[in-house]
Coordinates of all heavy atoms in Angstrom, one line a residue:
N21 N 3.0 9.0 11.9 CA 4.5 9.1 11.7 C 4.8 9.4 10.2 O 6.0 9.0 9.8 CB 5.2 7.9 12.2 CG 4.7 6.6 11.5 OD1 4.1 6.6 10.5 ND2 5.1 5.5 12.1
Y22 N 3.9 9.9 9.5 CA 4.1 10.2 8.0 C 4.4 9.0 7.2 O 5.1 9.1 6.2 CB 5.2 11.4 7.9 CG 4.9 12.6 8.7 CD1 5.5 12.8 9.9 CD2 4.0 13.5 8.2 CE1 5.2 14.0 10.6 CE2 3.7 14.7 8.9 CZ 4.3 14.9 10.2 OH 4.0 16.0 10.9
W23 N 3.9 7.8 7.7 CA 4.2 6.6 7.0 C 5.6 6.2 6.8 O 6.1 5.6 5.8 CB 3.4 6.6 5.6 CG 1.9 6.9 5.8 CD1 1.4 8.1 5.7 CD2 0.9 6.0 6.1 NE1 0.0 8.1 5.9 CE2 -0.3 6.7 6.1 CE3 0.8 4.6 6.3 CZ2 -1.6 6.2 6.4 CZ3 -0.4 4.1 6.5 CH2 -1.6 4.8 6.6
D24 N 6.4 6.6 7.8 CA 7.8 6.3 7.9 C 8.1 5.0 8.5 O 7.8 4.8 9.7 CB 8.5 7.5 8.6 CG 10.0 7.3 8.7 OD1 10.5 6.4 8.1 OD2 10.6 8.1 9.4
D25 N 8.7 4.1 7.8 CA 8.9 2.7 8.4 C 10.1 2.6 9.3 O 10.5 1.6 9.8 CB 9.0 1.7 7.3 CG 10.2 1.9 6.3 OD1 10.8 3.0 6.4 OD2 10.5 1.0 5.5
Q26 N 10.8 3.8 9.5 CA 11.9 3.8 10.4 C 11.5 4.4 11.7 O 12.3 4.4 12.7 CB 13.1 4.7 9.9 CG 13.6 4.2 8.5 CD 14.2 2.8 8.7 OE1 15.0 2.5 9.6 NE2 13.8 1.9 7.8
A27 N 10.3 4.9 11.8 CA 9.9 5.6 13.0 C 9.5 4.7 14.2 O 9.9 4.9 15.3 CB 8.7 6.6 12.7
H28 N 8.7 3.6 13.9 CA 8.1 2.8 15.0 C 8.3 1.3 14.6 O 7.5 0.7 14.0 CB 6.6 3.1 15.2 CG 6.4 4.5 15.7 ND1 5.9 5.5 15.0 CD2 6.5 5.0 17.0 CE1 5.7 6.6 15.7 NE2 6.1 6.3 17.0
Q29 N 9.5 0.8 14.9 CA 9.8 -0.6 14.7 C 9.4 -1.4 15.9 O 9.7 -1.2 17.0 CB 11.4 -0.7 14.5 CG 11.9 0.1 13.4 CD 11.9 -0.7 12.1 OE1 11.8 -1.9 12.1 NE2 12.1 0.0 11.0
L30 N 8.6 -2.5 15.6 CA 8.1 -3.4 16.6 C 9.2 -4.3 17.0 O 10.2 -4.5 16.3 CB 6.9 -4.2 16.1 CG 5.7 -3.4 15.8 CD1 4.5 -4.3 15.3 CD2 5.2 -2.6 17.0
H31 N 9.0 -4.9 18.2 CA 10.0 -5.9 18.7 C 9.6 -7.3 18.5 O 8.4 -7.6 18.8 CB 10.2 -5.6 20.3 CG 10.5 -4.2 20.6 ND1 11.8 -3.6 20.4 CD2 9.7 -3.2 21.1 CE1 11.8 -2.4 20.8 NE2 10.5 -2.1 21.2
V32 N 10.5 -8.2 18.1 CA 10.1 -9.6 17.9 C 10.3 -10.3 19.2 O 11.2 -10.1 20.0 CB 11.0 -10.2 16.8 CG1 12.5 -10.3 17.2 CG2 10.5 -11.6 16.4
R33 N 9.3 -11.3 19.4 CA 9.4 -12.0 20.6 C 10.6 -13.0 20.6 O 11.0 -13.5 19.5 CB 8.1 -12.8 20.9 CG 6.9 -11.9 21.3 CD 5.7 -12.7 21.6 NE 5.9 -13.7 22.7 CZ 5.7 -13.4 24.0 NH1 5.2 -12.2 24.3 NH2 5.9 -14.3 24.9
W34 N 11.1 -13.4 21.7 CA 12.2 -14.3 21.8 C 11.9 -15.7 21.6 O 12.8 -16.6 21.5 CB 12.8 -14.1 23.3 CG 11.8 -14.4 24.3 CD1 11.0 -13.5 24.9 CD2 11.5 -15.6 24.9 NE1 10.2 -14.1 25.9 CE2 10.5 -15.4 25.9 CE3 12.0 -17.0 24.7 CZ2 9.9 -16.4 26.6 CZ3 11.4 -18.0 25.5 CH2 10.4 -17.7 26.4
D35 N 10.5 -16.1 21.7 CA 10.2 -17.5 21.8 C 9.9 -18.2 20.4 O 9.2 -19.3 20.4 CB 8.9 -17.6 22.6 CG 7.8 -16.6 22.1 OD1 7.9 -16.2 21.1 OD2 6.9 -16.3 23.0
K36 N 10.3 -17.6 19.3 CA 10.2 -18.1 18.0 C 8.7 -18.3 17.6 O 8.4 -19.1 16.7 CB 10.9 -19.5 17.9 CG 12.4 -19.4 18.1 CD 13.0 -20.8 17.9 CE 14.6 -20.7 18.1 NZ 15.2 -22.0 18.0
S37 N 7.9 -17.5 18.2 CA 6.4 -17.5 17.8 C 6.2 -16.7 16.5 O 5.2 -16.9 15.9 CB 5.6 -17.0 18.9 OG 6.0 -15.6 19.2
G38 N 7.2 -15.9 16.2 CA 7.0 -15.1 15.0 C 6.1 -13.8 15.2 O 5.7 -13.2 14.3
I39 N 5.9 -13.5 16.5 CA 5.1 -12.4 16.8 C 6.0 -11.1 17.1 O 6.9 -11.1 17.8 CB 4.2 -12.6 18.1 CG1 3.3 -13.8 17.8 CG2 3.5 -11.4 18.5 CD1 2.6 -14.3 19.1
W40 N 5.5 -10.1 16.4 CA 6.1 -8.7 16.6 C 5.1 -7.8 17.4 O 4.0 -7.8 17.0 CB 6.5 -8.1 15.2 CG 7.5 -8.9 14.4 CD1 7.2 -10.1 13.8 CD2 8.8 -8.6 14.2 NE1 8.4 -10.5 13.2 CE2 9.4 -9.6 13.5 CE3 9.7 -7.5 14.7 CZ2 10.7 -9.6 13.0 CZ3 11.0 -7.6 14.2 CH2 11.5 -8.6 13.4
E41 N 5.7 -7.1 18.4 CA 4.7 -6.3 19.2 C 5.4 -5.1 19.8 O 6.6 -5.0 19.8 CB 4.2 -7.2 20.3 CG 5.3 -7.8 21.2 CD 4.8 -8.8 22.2 OE1 3.5 -8.9 22.4 OE2 5.6 -9.5 22.9
G42 N 4.6 -4.2 20.4 CA 5.2 -3.1 21.1 C 4.1 -2.0 21.3 O 3.0 -2.1 20.7
F43 N 4.4 -1.2 22.3 CA 3.4 -0.1 22.6 C 3.9 1.2 22.1 O 5.1 1.6 22.3 CB 3.3 -0.1 24.2 CG 2.5 1.1 24.7 CD1 1.1 1.0 24.7 CD2 3.1 2.3 25.2 CE1 0.3 2.1 25.2 CE2 2.3 3.4 25.6 CZ 0.9 3.2 25.6
I44 N 3.1 2.0 21.4 CA 3.4 3.3 20.9 C 2.6 4.4 21.5 O 1.4 4.4 21.4 CB 3.2 3.3 19.3 CG1 3.9 2.1 18.6 CG2 3.6 4.6 18.7 CD1 3.7 2.0 17.1
P45 N 3.3 5.2 22.3 CA 2.6 6.3 23.0 C 2.0 7.3 22.0 O 2.4 7.4 20.9 CB 3.7 7.0 23.8 CG 4.8 6.0 23.9 CD 4.8 5.2 22.6
K46 N 0.9 7.9 22.4 CA 0.2 9.0 21.7 C -0.5 8.6 20.4 O -0.9 9.5 19.7 CB 1.3 10.2 21.4 CG 1.9 10.7 22.7 CD 2.9 11.9 22.3 CE 3.5 12.5 23.5 NZ 4.5 13.6 23.1
V47 N -0.6 7.3 20.2 CA -1.4 6.8 19.1 C -2.7 6.4 19.6 O -2.8 5.6 20.6 CB -0.7 5.6 18.3 CG1 -1.6 5.1 17.3 CG2 0.6 6.1 17.7
G48 N -3.8 6.9 19.1 CA -5.1 6.6 19.7 C -6.2 6.4 18.6 O -5.9 6.1 17.5
K49 N -7.4 6.4 19.1 CA -8.6 6.0 18.3 C -8.6 6.9 17.1 O -8.5 8.1 17.1 CB -9.8 6.2 19.1 CG -11.1 5.8 18.5 CD -12.3 5.9 19.4 CE -13.6 5.5 18.7 NZ -14.8 5.6 19.7
G50 N -8.9 6.3 15.9 CA -9.0 7.0 14.7 C -7.7 7.0 13.9 O -7.7 7.5 12.7
S51 N -6.5 6.7 14.5 CA -5.3 6.7 13.7 C -5.3 5.7 12.6 O -5.7 4.5 12.8 CB -4.1 6.4 14.7 OG -4.0 7.5 15.7
L52 N -4.8 6.0 11.5 CA -4.6 5.1 10.3 C -3.3 4.4 10.4 O -2.2 5.0 10.8 CB -4.7 5.9 9.0 CG -6.0 6.7 8.7 CD1 -5.9 7.4 7.4 CD2 -7.2 5.9 8.8
Y53 N -3.2 3.1 10.1 CA -1.9 2.5 10.2 C -1.9 1.2 9.3 O -3.0 0.7 8.9 CB -1.6 2.0 11.6 CG -2.5 0.9 12.1 CD1 -2.0 -0.4 12.2 CD2 -3.8 1.1 12.6 CE1 -2.8 -1.4 12.7 CE2 -4.6 0.1 13.1 CZ -4.1 -1.2 13.1 OH -4.8 -2.2 13.6
K54 N -0.7 0.8 9.0 CA -0.4 -0.5 8.3 C 0.9 -1.0 8.9 O 1.5 -0.4 9.7 CB -0.2 -0.4 6.8 CG -1.5 -0.1 6.0 CD -1.3 -0.1 4.5 CE -2.5 0.0 3.8 NZ -2.3 0.1 2.3
Y55 N 1.2 -2.3 8.6 CA 2.4 -2.9 8.9 C 3.3 -2.9 7.7 O 3.0 -3.5 6.7 CB 2.2 -4.3 9.5 CG 1.4 -4.4 10.7 CD1 0.2 -5.0 10.8 CD2 1.9 -3.8 11.9 CE1 -0.6 -5.1 11.9 CE2 1.2 -3.9 13.1 CZ -0.1 -4.5 13.1 OH -0.8 -4.6 14.3
K56 N 4.5 -2.3 7.9 CA 5.6 -2.4 6.8 C 6.5 -3.5 7.2 O 7.2 -3.5 8.2 CB 6.3 -1.0 6.7 CG 7.2 -0.9 5.5 CD 6.4 -0.7 4.2 CE 7.3 -0.2 3.1 NZ 7.6 1.2 3.2
I57 N 6.5 -4.5 6.3 CA 7.2 -5.7 6.7 C 8.4 -6.0 5.7 O 8.2 -6.0 4.4 CB 6.3 -7.0 6.6 CG1 5.1 -6.7 7.7 CG2 7.1 -8.3 7.0 CD1 4.1 -7.8 7.6
H58 N 9.6 -6.1 6.2 CA 10.8 -6.5 5.4 C 11.0 -7.9 5.7 O 11.3 -8.4 6.8 CB 12.0 -5.6 5.8 CG 11.9 -4.2 5.4 ND1 12.5 -3.6 4.3 CD2 11.2 -3.2 6.0 CE1 12.2 -2.4 4.2 NE2 11.4 -2.0 5.2
S59 N 11.0 -8.7 4.6 CA 11.0 -10.1 4.7 C 12.4 -10.7 4.6 O 13.3 -10.1 3.9 CB 10.1 -10.8 3.6 OG 10.2 -12.2 3.7
H60 N 12.7 -11.9 5.2 CA 13.9 -12.6 4.9 C 14.0 -13.2 3.5 O 15.1 -13.6 3.1 CB 14.1 -13.7 6.0 CG 14.5 -13.2 7.3 ND1 15.8 -12.7 7.5 CD2 13.9 -13.2 8.5 CE1 15.9 -12.4 8.8 NE2 14.8 -12.7 9.4
H61 N 12.8 -13.3 2.9 CA 12.8 -13.9 1.6 C 13.0 -13.0 0.4 O 12.2 -12.1 0.2 CB 11.4 -14.6 1.4 CG 11.1 -15.7 2.3 ND1 11.8 -16.9 2.3 CD2 10.3 -15.8 3.4 CE1 11.4 -17.7 3.3 NE2 10.5 -17.1 4.0
D62 N 14.1 -13.0 -0.2 CA 14.5 -12.3 -1.4 C 14.3 -10.8 -1.2 O 14.0 -10.1 -2.2 CB 13.6 -12.8 -2.5 CG 13.8 -14.3 -2.8 OD1 14.9 -14.8 -2.7 OD2 12.8 -15.0 -3.1
G63 N 14.4 -10.3 -0.1 CA 14.3 -8.9 0.1 C 12.9 -8.3 -0.1 O 12.8 -7.1 -0.3

């Protein structure tokens, strides 16, 4: 997704576990990725 943090936003679970998750189609073996995290703490 060209390292675009607006393209694939994960969903937060409702149970206050702090887990973010989701299924992204067409992403497969060998794909490079990271998690872009915007924090509640001081932006």
